[in-house]
Amino acid sequence: SVFPFRLLLFGTFILLPLMALMLFHLWHNASSWEITSSPYFLPTKEKTQNRSTNLLIFNDTGSEIEDFIAALKTQNITPEITKEKNITRLPNYNGAIKISRQGKV
């Protein structure tokens, strides 16, 4: 009858706080992860990664997209704008974005 009581005390005062501390540590480390584009796209200032490419952009809106380009540059991504309508024919890029107003009024 003493053994279950000791087991309950051990679980309450030792295991629960230890598990809470471990979960807090895991949560804190996970929240400090940073996802960056650097493995895929060339940075705006340094071009050091071998497998990185510019981010290919095709502007099919008929208007300027300078705000979008500026937003990419603030994320340290070098955009390259193309006039080629079929961007899938340009295979030497890690990523491409086609911006259009199709379906918009």
Side-chain angles (χ1 to χ4, degrees):
S1 70
V2 175
F3 181 71
F5 179 71
R6 286 183 183 170
L7 190 60
L8 180 64
L9 282 176
F10 179 74
T12 303
F13 294 108
I14 304 294
L15 288 181
L16 286 177
L18 185 61
M19 288 176 60
L21 183 64
M22 288 175 54
L23 287 173
F24 176 76
H25 180 70
L26 288 172
W27 174 78
H28 178 58
N29 285 343
S31 66
S32 65
W33 290 350
E34 181 180 349
I35 299 174
T36 65
S37 61
S38 59
Y40 308 103
F41 304 114
L42 290 171
T44 52
K45 295 180 181 157
E46 305 164 8
K47 299 187 183 239
T48 57
Q49 282 109 7
N50 294 339
R51 295 182 184 173
S52 298
T53 66
N54 291 336
L55 175 62
L56 187 63
I57 310 268
F58 173 63
N59 179 8
D60 196 25
T61 63
S63 59
E64 295 295 320
I65 56 168
E66 291 306 314
D67 290 342
F68 179 70
I69 300 298
L72 289 174
K73 288 180 179 178
T74 63
Q75 296 177 45
N76 205 24
I77 297 173
T78 304
E80 182 177 328
I81 300 173
T82 182
K83 295 185 189 252
E84 174 70 42
K85 289 191 181 229
N86 186 359
I87 58 176
T88 58
R89 289 183 32 198
L90 304 170
N92 297 326
Y93 293 89
N94 289 336
I97 298 175
K98 179 179 180 180
I99 303 171
S100 90
R101 291 186 180 200
Q102 187 175 14
K104 301 286 180 185
V105 178

